[in-house]
Amino acid sequence: GAGVSQSPSNKVTEKGKDVELRCDPISGHTALYWYRQRLGQGLEFLIYFQGNSAPDKSGLPSDRFSAERTGESVSTLTIQRTQQEDSAVYLCASSSGGTSLPDNEQFFGPGTRLTVL
Amino acid sequence: LAKTTQPISMDSYEGQEVNITCSHNNIATNDYITWYQQFPSQGPRFIIQGYKTKVTNEVASLFIPADRKSSTLSLPRVSLSDTAVYYCLVGDNNAGNMLTFGGGTRLMVKP
């Protein structure tokens, strides 16, 4: 596709259930990023991938959060045993993966709005 | 870990120049400074990036002093459609560095 896509666009779940959020980056982009944005707040960095590996996972809020990427393409963010404080918009971005412009410009998807009841 | 600080909000009027400053006292040698714009219910969109001195593109200018501990995004002659949240991002997109967004500055442009 032309841009970063994310699915589902909205997800409502019950506390304690697991959820899986998907990100399809721009074709050919080697770097992929996940962020969380709570209502009315700024972006919180979660994790980033270079290819299929995640050099730094320390941004993940707890061990209930995990992410993987396969084929240097689609990525999945999984939240286990969801809690109400997990309610937020989860944004994915991708870039060419270089260290300077234009390769490090991040292109964001529309986000997945997660609501935990 | 570079922490950034921005004003929470700013008001302006159409046609004015707007300057938004971001403080990043702990910026590292390899870190770039990037600004993004976000409209409601959308993902952020890249505006401009710099490392030091001044950078200008078709929509904005970015001023970075020699010590790089702050940066100023300058929007010339704003219009109503520039009403958005503006984020300062400091980090090295390379391995091992966490990317830190500021809290964002909510710019309101009035007629």
Side-chain angles (χ1 to χ4, degrees), chain B residues 87-108:
Chain B
Y87 291 98
C88 168
L89 170 64
V90 173
D92 172 2
N93 288 353
N94 239 336
N97 235 326
M98 283 178 60
L99 299 169
T100 306
F101 273 79
T105 297
R106 191 171 300 273
L107 173 65
M108 173 68 72

Side-chain angles (χ1 to χ4, degrees), chain A:
Chain A
V4 178
S5 60
Q6 293 185 245
S7 60
S9 55
N10 279 286
K11 176 72 177 178
V12 180
T13 190
E14 293 180 347
K15 178 181 172 181
K17 295 284 180 68
D18 297 353
V19 295
E20 211 170 77
L21 312 180
R22 177 187 169 107
C23 172
D24 285 272
I26 292 173
S27 178
H29 278 189
T30 60
L32 186 148
Y33 315 81
W34 282 100
Y35 297 86
R36 178 170 70 178
Q37 186 170 34
R38 292 198 168 104
L39 185 64
Q41 298 188 21
L43 279 75
E44 177 186 359
F45 171 78
L46 299 179
I47 189 171
Y48 107 99
F49 289 89
Q50 185 63 257
N52 291 335
S53 65
D56 190 338
K57 302 180 181 180
S58 57
L60 294 175
S62 75
D63 58 9
R64 296 186 294 105
F65 287 71
S66 63
E68 65 174 19
R69 188 181 186 196
T70 56
E72 296 198 359
S73 180
V74 63
S75 175
T76 303
L77 178 69
T78 301
I79 309 173
Q80 296 178 310
R81 306 180 301 282
T82 52
Q83 303 294 313
Q84 288 182 331
E85 63 262 27
D86 298 334
S87 295
V89 175
Y90 289 83
L91 290 158
C92 173
S94 71
S95 74
S96 298
T99 57
S100 58
L101 284 177
D103 295 330
N104 66 4
E105 176 182 343
Q106 294 182 52
F107 294 84
F108 282 81
T112 293
R113 183 174 300 276
L114 174 66
T115 303
V116 182
L117 301 176

